[in-house]
Amino acid sequence: MSLPVTGRAGATAPSLDETAATQGAAPPLPKAAGTRTLAAPERNTLSQAPAAAPGANSPREVPTGRVDYYRRREEDFRARNPGVQPPPYYLQYGDKYVRAFSALGPEQLSLAGLEWRDKALKLLQVEMEKARRENGKEFAELERRPEDFREFAYSTHVTAYLEAGLLSLSTQDLTTILTTPDLQDLLNKDGLAQIHKVLDRVGSKDVATIVNATSSQVRQELQDQADRMDREVKSFMYQRWWDGGMH
């Protein structure tokens, strides 16, 4: 599904949010196969480990390219795993940032930046659906291990960003994109791994070109945030070193 965007210089087309809105509300997910209502209380099973819910290992397909994708993935998990907390990634990262990036408009991003946004957001969802489709049982088991699931999800980010054309964007677009995520979502081992993978794809000459192309106005706007990020990254790395070396 192609997702048109709104660009600068008078070029207008439906944005990601508008496209999702015209699709209407997503139909409710069907009940998991085999779901039943107990007519009477069953015998006490407190001493036994809870059995997996019917269909727990059969995650359903969710349409990609939608702002409600991660909410629907979370709803599917809850339907298959009654009483089990879904992976925090679905709402605390996936849904959070599909909405944050969808809110960026032509005032923040160029036409190329908006096109990158829609491609990247869709590719991230496509990669998740690909993993589910290739091995539904393994995907379902991974969902029930939140840390492992987050690591898996983060591992798809760089590929999606680069395939969508991140490195071809202007400095202004890169500035907006790189400063949209909250620092706490980057200052963990998976977030730092993302940064390192991107830097590995950018040669030192390219980095210098990007820095030199940055306007003085952008530099000034980012200076306070850059200084804060530098302090927080150093603090984070020091804490990691302290924990690893002293304990």
Side-chain angles (χ1 to χ4, degrees), residues 145-210:
R145 303 195 306 272
E147 291 300 315
D148 291 340
F149 187 82
R150 186 187 70 178
E151 182 177 353
F152 147 72
Y154 270 66
S155 71
T156 67
H157 291 181
V158 174
T159 299
Y161 299 159
L162 296 179
E163 286 187 5
L166 180 70
L167 299 184
S168 66
L169 296 179
S170 68
T171 301
Q172 285 72 22
D173 281 341
L174 288 173
T175 297
T176 300
I177 291 166
L178 294 175
T179 56
T180 294
D182 293 334
L183 286 176
Q184 64 265 25
D185 294 321
L186 295 177
L187 295 181
N188 55 59
K189 69 180 182 67
D190 298 319
L192 291 173
Q194 282 188 95
I195 296 172
H196 292 154
K197 287 179 182 178
V198 171
L199 292 178
D200 285 343
R201 298 290 297 271
V202 182
S204 58
K205 182 178 179 180
D206 296 319
V207 173
T209 300
I210 291 173

Side-chain angles (χ1 to χ4, degrees), residues 16-28 63 65-69 72:
L16 184 68
D17 278 332
E18 293 167 340
T19 301
T22 60
Q23 293 172 331
R66 301 179 60 111
V67 292
D68 65 351
Y69 172 81
R72 297 196 68 190

Side-chain angles (χ1 to χ4, degrees), residues 3-230:
L3 291 173
V5 296
T6 302
R8 290 176 175 164
T12 60
S15 68
L16 184 68
D17 278 332
E18 293 167 340
T19 301
T22 60
Q23 293 172 331
L29 291 168
K31 289 185 178 181
T35 300
R36 61 192 179 92
T37 302
L38 296 179
E42 294 185 338
R43 66 178 181 175
N44 189 334
T45 57
L46 291 178
S47 62
Q48 302 177 11
N57 290 331
S58 300
R60 300 173 183 82
E61 179 181 2
V62 172
T64 60
R66 301 179 60 111
V67 292
D68 65 351
Y69 172 81
Y70 297 100
R71 287 189 178 275
R72 297 196 68 190
R73 279 259 62 98
E74 194 230 18
E75 291 168 2
D76 174 64
F77 179 90
R78 289 185 181 278
R80 290 180 288 109
N81 301 271
V84 180
Q85 286 298 314
Y89 177 89
Y90 281 146
L91 297 187
Q92 295 179 16
Y93 195 99
D95 185 72
K96 175 181 178 180
Y97 286 116
V98 74
R99 295 178 186 279
F101 277 96
S102 295
L104 298 176
E107 296 81 12
Q108 293 83 29
L109 292 172
S110 68
L111 178 60
L114 291 169
E115 290 175 344
W116 172 87
R117 177 200 69 180
D118 289 349
K119 288 179 182 178
L121 293 180
K122 182 173 175 65
L123 282 171
L124 288 169
Q125 298 172 9
V126 167
E127 285 298 308
M128 188 163 287
E129 284 300 299
K130 178 181 176 182
R132 177 205 60 80
R133 185 173 60 253
E134 290 180 348
N135 195 325
K137 183 175 184 293
E138 183 176 297
F139 182 88
E141 292 174 345
L142 194 62
E143 284 181 305
R144 293 189 286 270
R145 303 195 306 272
E147 291 300 315
D148 291 340
F149 187 82
R150 186 187 70 178
E151 182 177 353
F152 147 72
Y154 270 66
S155 71
T156 67
H157 291 181
V158 174
T159 299
Y161 299 159
L162 296 179
E163 286 187 5
L166 180 70
L167 299 184
S168 66
L169 296 179
S170 68
T171 301
Q172 285 72 22
D173 281 341
L174 288 173
T175 297
T176 300
I177 291 166
L178 294 175
T179 56
T180 294
D182 293 334
L183 286 176
Q184 64 265 25
D185 294 321
L186 295 177
L187 295 181
N188 55 59
K189 69 180 182 67
D190 298 319
L192 291 173
Q194 282 188 95
I195 296 172
H196 292 154
K197 287 179 182 178
V198 171
L199 292 178
D200 285 343
R201 298 290 297 271
V202 182
S204 58
K205 182 178 179 180
D206 296 319
V207 173
T209 300
I210 291 173
V211 171
N212 291 334
T214 304
S215 68
S216 58
Q217 179 182 358
V218 171
R219 286 197 191 98
Q220 184 60 46
E221 291 175 353
L222 290 178
Q223 190 60 54
D224 290 343
Q225 183 167 348
D227 290 343
R228 184 172 66 254
M229 180 179 288
D230 181 63

